């Protein structure tokens, strides 16, 4: 009995996918993708590894969010066309494929990934990663290196669009 209790306590809660005005989009199982696989938004993708599963958390007018659950815990990956530029400077990570800035405030860690949504124009925060699986240590680089900007649509097992014309 104690082993079962520990397993239940260790299980991460899976979000119910929500939309605008807190509407429920379906069940977590309907929007579940198990790795290895590439999951995509409109302007980016993320490569899930074996042992990782993504669940759609939110899809709205200006953004979409996945919860990624894996052996190290979980984190949220959010793409948005309207992220504001941070007021406080963060620490720019070096040696990655794209500009990533690490921020820490009130004990919370997040990474902002910069890109232009159309492949040209000014670079701005496009993706945000935050959650318990991110530690601020070298292991986070593995996660950040699995981000693909403007991926080919055919390379995605599942694509999650958002906006006025998507449900």
């Amino acid at each position: 009995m104690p082993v079962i209790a520990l397993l239940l306590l260790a299980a991460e809660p899976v979000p119910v996918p929500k939309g605008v005005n807190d509407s429920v989009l379906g069940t977590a199982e309907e929007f579940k993708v198990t790795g290895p696989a590439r999951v995509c938004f409109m302007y980016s993708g993320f490569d899930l590894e074996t042992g990782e599963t993504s669940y759609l958390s939110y899809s709205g007018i200006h953004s979409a969010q996945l919860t990624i659950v894996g052996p190290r815990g979980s984190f949220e990956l959010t793409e948005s066309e309207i992220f504001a530029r941070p007021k406080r400077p963060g620490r720019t990570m070096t040696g990655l494929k794209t500009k990533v800035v690490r921020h820490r405030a009130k004990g919370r860690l997040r990474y902002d990934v910069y890109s232009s949504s159309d492949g040209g124009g000014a670079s701005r925060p496009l993706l945000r990663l935050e959650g318990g699986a991110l530690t601020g240590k070298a292991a986070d680089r593995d996660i950040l290196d699995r981000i693909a900007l403007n991926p080919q649509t055919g390379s995605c097992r599942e694509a999650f669009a958002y906006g006025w014309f998507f449900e």
Side-chain angles (χ1 to χ4, degrees):
M1 185 75 147
V3 173
I4 293 171
L6 285 175
L7 290 174
L8 291 174
L9 288 174
E12 300 266 348
V14 177
V16 175
K18 301 272 182 113
V20 176
N21 296 326
D22 220 20
S23 61
V24 175
L25 301 176
T27 67
E29 285 294 314
E30 289 178 89
F31 297 96
K32 172 182 166 181
V33 179
T34 302
R38 178 173 280 178
V39 289
C40 296
F41 292 123
M42 291 171 53
Y43 309 108
S44 64
F46 183 76
D47 294 326
L48 297 169
E49 292 184 335
T50 301
E52 291 180 324
T53 303
S54 73
Y55 298 91
L56 181 67
S57 305
Y58 177 79
S59 182
I61 298 167
H62 301 290
S63 66
Q65 181 181 68
L66 294 174
T67 298
I68 312 291
V69 179
R72 291 179 33 191
S74 67
F75 65 94
E76 288 72 46
L77 176 65
T78 308
E79 180 181 288
S80 177
E81 296 175 321
I82 60 169
F83 279 137
R85 291 187 183 277
K87 292 181 182 178
R88 296 177 188 226
R91 185 176 138 218
T92 301
M93 308 293 290
T94 59
L96 294 167
K97 297 179 268 186
T98 187
K99 180 180 176 182
V100 177
V101 179
R102 186 178 97 179
H103 297 275
R104 188 178 294 273
K106 298 179 184 175
R108 292 184 52 99
L109 172 69
R110 84 165 193 261
Y111 293 97
D112 289 340
V113 179
Y114 284 67
S115 180
S116 58
S117 56
D118 61 4
S123 183
R124 60 178 180 72
L126 177 68
L127 286 173
R128 178 165 290 161
L129 289 81
E130 52 194 335
L134 303 170
T135 62
K137 298 191 168 105
D140 289 355
R141 284 186 176 278
D142 171 59
I143 292 171
L144 296 167
D145 273 334
R146 292 188 277 138
I147 293 169
L149 297 175
N150 300 309
Q152 298 295 321
T153 308
S155 70
C156 306
R157 181 182 303 161
E158 191 71 51
F160 300 98
Y162 53 92
W164 287 105
F165 302 107
F166 297 100
E167 295 182 24

